[in-house]
Amino acid sequence: MNASTMSTSAVAGRRAGVRRRVGRRVVNGAAVFALLYLFAPIAVIVVFSFNRPAGKFNLVWQHFTLRNWMHPFARKELTQAMMLSLRIAVLAAVIATALGTLVALALTRYRFRGSAAVNLLLVLPLTTPEIVLGASLASLFIQRGVKRGFATILIAHVMFCLSFVALTVKARLRGFDWTMEDAAMDLGAGPIRTFVRITLPLIAPGILAAFLLSFAISIDDFITTLFNAGNRITYPLQIFGASRAELPPQVHVLGTMVLLVGVVFLVGGALVGMKRASRR
Amino acid sequence: MVATTGDAKLSSRAGARAAPWALLSPGALWLILFFIVPIASLARMSLSSKKSRFDFRASFTWQWSNFSDALRAYGGHFVRSFAYAGLATVFALLVGFPLAYVIAFRGGRWKSVLLGLVALPFFTSFLLRTLAWKTLLADDGVLLSAVKGVGLRGPLQAIGIMQDGRVLASPTAVVGGLTYNFLPFMIMPIYVALERIDHRLMDAANDLYANNIAAFRRIIMPLALPGVFAGSLLTFIPASGDFVNDQFLGDANRKMIGTVVQERFIRNLDYPSAAALSFILMTLITVAVLVYARVLGTEDLTG
């Protein structure tokens, strides 16, 4: 009696162990599938930067060639569009990071009436589809007779980046020990000195993350930009136009170059992260 | 900068009350001028009318018929867009949750690498990645050749994933593209929610003889819910207004509402009807979000 119950529980235990192991495999397999799904199109971009397309569209594999990589900047219109996008992204990220950080500081440092409304104001642009953001800004510019171009693209980009910055920095500031500021000031530091020497270094990682996020969002923005670009052509607009008329392989070469910059960042960040993890 | 200190010793009470507003005002003003005011412009535009295509400025005439005309002509497009976006959200959840789970609980020292991999697609253009799907799903492309090679063509046709041996220019391609494009936005918030879970809770559940499924359902799911909520919104909202996947991968006879708005606004310069359609889209999404928040019982959007 006793022995038999023991053996059945042992069998049940083994069965549970098998089930657990199978479940583990299934979940791991699903995760690998997700990674493959994320990377398939990126692999296509890299591979097609080495393609010699037969027609005007670099969409079907023909022959391996290094020619595209020898002349990555051969298409002037592409390079110009990339430069415009870079300029807008840097400017938009700088302005949005400055304004957004101030908003985040105000919301975390002070309790005041109306902060809920400000929070709502920050979230709304993120819960509005881009096509509505683009169409509404363009409506404003059309009604006021504002010519759309560089300035209007910048205005649009700062607008949606600002929300991302404020929310990112705010998350970082949660749990910030504000008494450190008081301590610095009790020791005779002025408010500006306190901010620069104490507060800023502590929130700098959050600000940097917000800046990079803004930069990435701005440089790749397409929908809002399309409505407010006038006759200026950013890199995404150039690709959109190219997808209809002509898609040269240089598009894929430049895309792969930017990706390589990303990989460098990623490897660097990962090395730092792993070192920190192993030290712990 | 001075105002950040907000110290009672330095500033008067009135000054302290003004401090947050001094910090806020540049950013808040930007959002009011370039987000709130434009929405009002959109509303005004949606009630305007143009005498002809070449009449550049629309005049405000309380043209309510813009809305009824838009709904009559494009009601089906709204339904299709929300159906595609809803499907893409469900698929992104199904594909993304396991990856978020593995990174959070089994990532170990590879955690930061895996997270970086999830963010890596952002380093290539959104449009370029969507075009790459066009290559992958082409009629004689890698994926379809493989599908035909292993004899899956028949079954896939039968369940409607493939039509006439094709995937491009079908709802499958559009939903697949939408799922792909917004997948990282689903994975990240779920990861953040799972990461916060105290592993001792799982040990406690196991000690109390909960099997894995019960532990998952009773502990992980409720704690992951805010992440699922945020991820769903970050997928559903942009997906329902997207027109890039639709135009690159879809069928021109079955357009999404984003394509309609883009064509009306940019190609036909028919601002009033495009504005009316945008306004309807925004309203429907707001209602959907509020209902969803009620159902899931999460209202913490602002964090």
Side-chain angles (χ1 to χ4, degrees), chain A:
Chain A
M1 175 75 194
N2 207 4
S4 78
T5 47
M6 259 174 73
S7 76
T8 48
S9 79
V11 168
R14 214 175 304 137
R15 228 179 263 152
V18 169
R19 215 184 299 139
R20 192 164 293 180
R21 229 171 301 135
V22 170
R24 221 183 146 83
R25 290 258 167 82
V26 169
V27 173
N28 285 347
V32 170
F33 171 79
L35 280 177
L36 287 178
Y37 188 42
L38 280 174
F39 285 104
I42 295 179
V44 171
I45 294 168
V46 175
V47 169
F48 273 69
S49 71
F50 295 101
N51 187 25
R52 203 173 71 196
K56 281 186 161 185
F57 292 93
N58 187 22
L59 289 173
V60 179
W61 179 257
Q62 302 287 341
H63 299 286
F64 178 86
T65 178
L66 287 172
R67 200 179 53 176
N68 314 326
W69 278 91
M70 309 290 274
H71 309 285
F73 306 118
R75 306 303 296 250
K76 214 167 250 151
E77 71 280 10
L78 272 182
T79 322
Q80 274 171 358
M82 182 66 103
M83 289 312 293
L84 175 63
S85 280
L86 279 170
R87 253 166 59 212
I88 289 176
V90 169
L91 276 173
V94 168
I95 300 173
T97 306
L99 300 186
T101 302
L102 293 181
V103 174
L105 281 169
L107 286 174
T108 40
R109 179 72 171 97
Y110 301 95
R111 288 175 162 277
F112 57 98
R113 220 185 256 204
S115 63
V118 176
N119 270 320
L120 188 66
L121 186 64
L122 287 178
V123 175
L124 280 177
L126 304 184
T127 59
T128 307
E130 263 210 79
I131 194 153
V132 177
L133 296 180
S136 59
L137 259 176
S139 295
L140 173 71
F141 294 139
I142 289 166
Q143 282 167 357
R144 300 284 148 140
V146 177
K147 198 166 176 293
R148 283 166 287 166
F150 187 90
T152 52
I153 302 176
L154 189 62
I155 284 173
H157 286 205
V158 170
M159 183 263 292
F160 52 71
C161 289
L162 213 162
S163 290
F164 279 106
V165 171
L167 295 177
T168 309
V169 176
K170 220 179 94 190
R172 173 86 196 180
L173 282 171
R174 208 183 291 158
F176 185 82
D177 185 3
W178 295 103
T179 55
M180 287 206 273
E181 281 192 339
D182 298 339
M185 283 195 282
D186 286 345
L187 294 170
I192 294 174
R193 205 174 134 99
T194 305
F195 181 79
V196 173
R197 299 291 292 276
I198 305 291
T199 319
L200 199 56
L202 285 167
I203 64 175
I207 294 177
L208 182 68
F211 178 85
L212 292 176
L213 186 66
S214 300
F215 181 86
I217 292 169
S218 164
I219 203 167
D220 199 26
D221 183 74
F222 171 63
I223 295 180
T224 309
T225 312
L226 181 69
F227 282 83
N228 293 291
N231 54 10
R232 301 306 293 266
I233 299 172
T234 63
Y235 193 65
L237 294 188
Q238 176 70 33
I239 296 179
F240 187 66
S243 71
R244 296 170 162 188
E246 183 194 8
L247 191 66
Q250 272 79 11
V251 169
H252 296 79
V253 173
L254 291 182
T256 307
M257 283 181 171
V258 177
L259 181 70
L260 285 175
V261 174
V263 172
V264 169
F265 267 106
L266 173 61
V267 171
L271 286 178
V272 172
M274 278 166 102
K275 206 176 271 175
R276 218 178 275 155
S278 63
R279 210 181 295 148
R280 235 180 259 148

Side-chain angles (χ1 to χ4, degrees), chain B residues 6-264:
Chain B
D7 196 302
K9 278 180 293 185
L10 294 175
S11 46
S12 67
R13 289 188 84 186
R17 216 174 298 145
W21 291 105
L23 289 169
L24 271 174
S25 48
L29 215 58
W30 197 289
L31 288 177
I32 289 169
L33 282 180
F34 302 121
F35 174 69
I36 301 290
V37 172
I39 295 289
S41 299
L42 187 76
R44 195 182 150 86
M45 185 65 95
S46 70
L47 293 170
S48 301
S49 60
K50 283 173 72 172
K51 287 190 202 77
S52 78
R53 226 190 119 168
F54 306 102
D55 175 15
F56 192 68
R57 281 225 209 152
S59 39
F60 182 64
T61 53
W62 290 106
Q63 197 78 29
W64 288 104
S65 62
N66 285 342
F67 281 89
S68 47
D69 290 349
L71 276 176
R72 202 173 314 126
Y74 300 110
H77 294 74
F78 277 109
V79 173
R80 182 178 302 125
S81 300
F82 286 124
Y84 286 6
L87 281 173
T89 307
V90 172
F91 289 137
L93 179 61
L94 292 178
V95 174
F97 197 100
L99 183 56
Y101 181 88
V102 167
I103 297 175
F105 289 116
R106 300 176 193 163
R109 59 201 296 248
W110 294 98
K111 216 176 243 184
S112 54
V113 177
L114 288 168
L115 277 178
L117 287 179
V118 172
L120 197 63
F122 292 126
F123 285 94
T124 52
S125 156
F126 158 58
L127 290 163
L128 207 47
R129 280 180 281 130
T130 311
L131 277 175
W133 275 109
K134 202 169 173 166
T135 299
L136 280 170
L137 297 175
D139 295 348
D140 43 6
V142 203
L143 283 179
L144 287 206
S145 306
V147 160
K148 283 169 198 163
V150 296
L152 269 174
R153 193 188 143 158
L156 289 180
Q157 297 261 75
I159 52 173
I161 286 183
M162 279 172 83
Q163 277 154 8
D164 307 323
R166 310 194 62 200
V167 172
L168 272 188
S170 76
T172 310
V174 181
V175 172
L178 290 171
T179 307
Y180 169 79
N181 272 311
F182 302 110
L183 187 56
F185 295 104
M186 180 65 90
I187 295 173
M188 288 298 184
I190 296 179
Y191 164 78
V192 170
L194 290 175
E195 162 84 331
R196 288 202 196 122
I197 296 177
D198 190 338
H199 286 223
R200 283 172 301 183
L201 279 176
M202 292 297 286
D203 298 339
N206 284 330
D207 289 346
L208 295 169
Y209 300 106
N211 60 25
N212 272 7
I213 292 167
F216 183 83
R217 207 163 46 88
R218 305 285 288 272
I219 294 175
I220 295 186
M221 261 335 270
L223 291 171
L225 213 55
V228 172
F229 179 70
S232 306
L233 293 190
L234 290 176
T235 307
F236 182 82
I237 293 170
S240 55
D242 183 78
F243 59 82
V244 175
N245 290 278
D246 185 36
Q247 288 179 24
F248 285 178
L249 308 171
D251 172 1
N253 295 321
R254 283 176 282 186
K255 288 173 187 157
M256 288 177 72
I257 199 65
T259 300
V260 176
V261 172
Q262 189 242 337
E263 288 176 352
R264 298 266 92 204

